[in-house]
Amino acid sequence: MWNAAVHAEFAHDRADYGYLGGNSQFSWHSLKTKRDAYIGRLNQIYLGNLNKANIVSIEGLASFTDDAEPTVEVGGKKYTAPHILIATGGRPSVLSDAEVPGANLGITSDGFFELDTLPKRCVIVGAGYIAVEMAGILSTLGSKTSIIIRQGEVLRNFDSLISANCTKELEKSGIEIWRNSQVKSVKKTQHGLEVTLATRDPETKGEKIGTIDDVDCLLWAIGREPNTSGLNLSQIGVKTDERGHIVVDEFQNTSRPGVYAVGDVCGKALLTPVAIAAGRKLAHRLFENKPESRVDYSNIPTVVFAHPPIGTVGLTEEEAIKSWGKDNLKIYQTSFTPMYHAVTARKSQCVMKLICAGTQERVVGLHMQGLGCDEMLQGFAVAIKMGATKADFDNTIAIHPTSSEELVTMR
């Protein structure tokens, strides 16, 4: 879906690059059909790989029993093993009608993939990366889009440079941002949904009520919850935190010997590659006699598929100050217009920040937003994982003309 939105941006820029004439029409239905078919093929491939490995698939809802040995029951049949792994993932958080009247009239990111047509008027509630990605896709493909956030900027858990720049880019692209706002109610009318909001003035603390009318897609992107309800974890003494995430140690062990957990259900670094890595490391430890095999949760690279995309790895500036002290840091920062936009009327900035610590100026954080930042991050993440210093970056010959060369020429 993000790739489709990128094509829309390129189509907007075609005339600036000399491609005159032509008026391609976007078909949401055509894209959805091809996307769903692709996902269907992937599901069959994964199922085929399980069958080739002689893995027995048992379909149904599992729950732990109170048997002496860790045991799960599925469809009335019990299963036990020396090692049981919980990898049930997470699901989008939802609000009840008791919390926000009419909340059930909205959808989540799961519902987004079931949309048969492109919404004409969309409201997205949330300030995290899912909200940002959904807003960018829908707006770029032609939906009039508003995003409702409780504070003044999106992506507040990211570095301040990214949070501020992403908020600016959203607005620059035509997305309406309702700051310091919360949804109070949702009502269905003959023209669509009526979303009522309360906006707080940060200075006076007063509230102002407003409405967004004729909404045909209200999307809640207010966080995720672990899929632990119904597992009966208390039956076997598996501890969870206040939000229901399974508590594990650095080796993915739960509080019950022989029971492990990986992925979003643990509530840490909610990224598919992290779950895959944790599962692989656990398998090495349990079955390949590698007792120290575990995931290093530091310096995990993350991409947000915004417009333009965001790449980040390591500590934010605020985190680095807490870990190293402000006097032990040196911050390098730049902002520029990528060469792609040299001839386009549409412009987007590229911003970059390097956070360096200690006398050796070890790079402990890298944050950027701009064209190509999603692809360029992986290689720099390797360097940072290996302990690269600013001098290592400086000693690397730049590739010109690219945006990535800015990271090795910053002064």
Side-chain angles (χ1 to χ4, degrees):
M1 302 304 290
W2 181 78
N3 283 333
V6 169
H7 274 282
E9 291 178 311
F10 288 157
H12 185 277
D13 300 333
R14 289 180 78 245
D16 292 325
Y17 269 94
Y19 289 87
L20 305 179
N23 185 23
S24 299
Q25 295 295 314
F26 171 67
S27 169
W28 179 281
H29 176 74
S30 175
L31 175 62
K32 182 180 184 298
T33 300
K34 292 181 179 180
R35 183 201 66 206
D36 291 349
Y38 172 70
I39 293 173
R41 290 195 299 274
L42 282 182
N43 289 338
Q44 290 304 310
I45 289 170
Y46 288 134
L47 184 60
N49 289 339
L50 291 175
N51 292 334
K52 289 176 185 176
N54 296 318
I55 295 171
V56 178
S57 298
I58 303 164
E59 293 188 12
L61 296 175
S63 60
F64 285 94
T65 68
D66 58 1
D67 290 87
E69 295 298 319
T71 303
V72 294
E73 183 174 343
V74 183
K77 188 174 181 179
K78 292 183 177 181
Y79 303 86
T80 188
H83 306 291
I84 296 179
L85 173 64
I86 303 170
T88 50
R91 63 183 185 277
S93 300
V94 295
L95 293 174
S96 67
D97 284 353
E99 294 171 295
V100 174
N104 70 335
L105 295 171
I107 64 172
T108 65
S109 54
D110 290 345
F112 168 82
F113 291 98
E114 298 173 4
L115 292 173
D116 290 321
T117 57
L118 174 68
K120 293 180 179 179
R121 185 70 174 94
C122 189
V123 171
I124 297 171
V125 185
Y129 72 91
I130 292 176
V132 167
E133 291 180 344
M134 295 287 115
I137 290 169
L138 288 164
S139 175
T140 305
L141 290 177
S143 178
K144 184 179 179 182
T145 304
S146 299
I147 186 167
I148 315 302
I149 60 177
R150 290 182 297 173
Q151 305 295 329
E153 294 178 332
V154 299
L155 302 179
R156 296 186 304 277
N157 292 330
F158 285 67
D159 188 86
S160 58
L161 173 70
I162 298 302
S163 180
N165 192 74
C166 184
T167 303
K168 182 183 74 173
E169 289 289 349
L170 286 171
E171 289 189 302
K172 196 165 71 171
S173 70
I175 295 172
E176 177 187 48
I177 298 180
W178 288 66
R179 292 174 169 82
N180 307 302
S181 299
Q182 289 183 279
V183 177
K184 304 303 286 186
S185 67
V186 184
K187 184 170 65 175
K188 193 170 187 177
T189 72
Q190 63 180 13
H191 299 296
L193 300 180
E194 178 185 274
V195 181
T196 300
L197 309 163
T199 300
R200 174 181 50 84
D201 188 313
E203 296 181 0
T204 66
K205 307 301 181 185
E207 274 193 352
K208 182 179 179 182
I209 302 299
T211 60
I212 304 177
D213 299 316
D214 304 335
V215 175
D216 54 353
C217 178
L218 169 65
L219 194 154
W220 299 100
I222 54 176
R224 295 183 66 80
E225 299 174 1
N227 278 324
T228 51
S229 60
L231 290 178
N232 293 332
L233 297 176
S234 60
Q235 292 274 24
I236 57 168
V238 170
K239 292 181 180 178
T240 58
D241 63 17
E242 63 278 0
R243 295 191 59 194
H245 294 111
I246 295 176
V247 177
V248 295
D249 64 13
E250 60 184 332
F251 293 97
Q252 311 298 147
N253 297 310
T254 70
S255 53
R256 176 67 184 264
V259 179
Y260 319 93
V262 301
D264 289 12
V265 76
C266 302
K268 187 175 183 180
L270 311 184
L271 300 165
T272 300
V274 175
I276 293 171
R280 184 179 293 117
K281 293 288 187 179
L282 178 62
H284 292 331
R285 181 169 71 84
L286 296 180
F287 306 115
E288 292 188 352
N289 193 29
K290 296 180 179 179
E292 295 303 312
S293 179
R294 62 188 184 277
V295 170
D296 179 2
Y297 282 89
S298 65
N299 293 321
I300 294 173
T302 302
V303 164
V304 179
F305 289 98
H307 296 265
I310 294 165
T312 177
V313 61
L315 302 176
T316 66
E317 185 173 347
E318 184 179 35
E319 291 169 340
I321 290 172
K322 291 179 180 177
S323 297
W324 292 84
K326 191 170 184 177
D327 293 340
N328 295 315
L329 299 177
K330 188 164 184 181
I331 310 299
Y332 297 87
Q333 190 169 312
T334 187
S335 174
F336 58 93
T337 301
M339 184 172 286
Y340 171 85
H341 288 302
V343 297
T344 64
R346 182 182 66 91
K347 307 288 184 185
S348 69
Q349 287 291 103
C350 184
V351 297
M352 293 177 170
K353 177 190 282 190
L354 291 178
I355 302 169
C356 304
T359 55
Q360 296 296 314
E361 291 196 10
R362 178 185 167 192
V363 182
V364 297
L366 185 156
H367 310 278
M368 53 186 172
Q369 181 175 18
L371 290 176
C373 285
D374 51 332
E375 289 290 350
M376 73 175 77
L377 178 65
Q378 190 76 75
F380 284 102
V382 173
I384 291 173
K385 191 76 171 177
M386 295 176 68
T389 64
K390 182 62 167 61
D392 293 324
F393 276 48
D394 294 342
N395 288 330
T396 302
I397 301 298
I399 303 171
H400 182 76
T402 64
S403 292
S404 60
E405 68 180 301
E406 295 289 331
L407 289 170
V408 298
T409 57
M410 270 196 229
R411 295 291 182 266

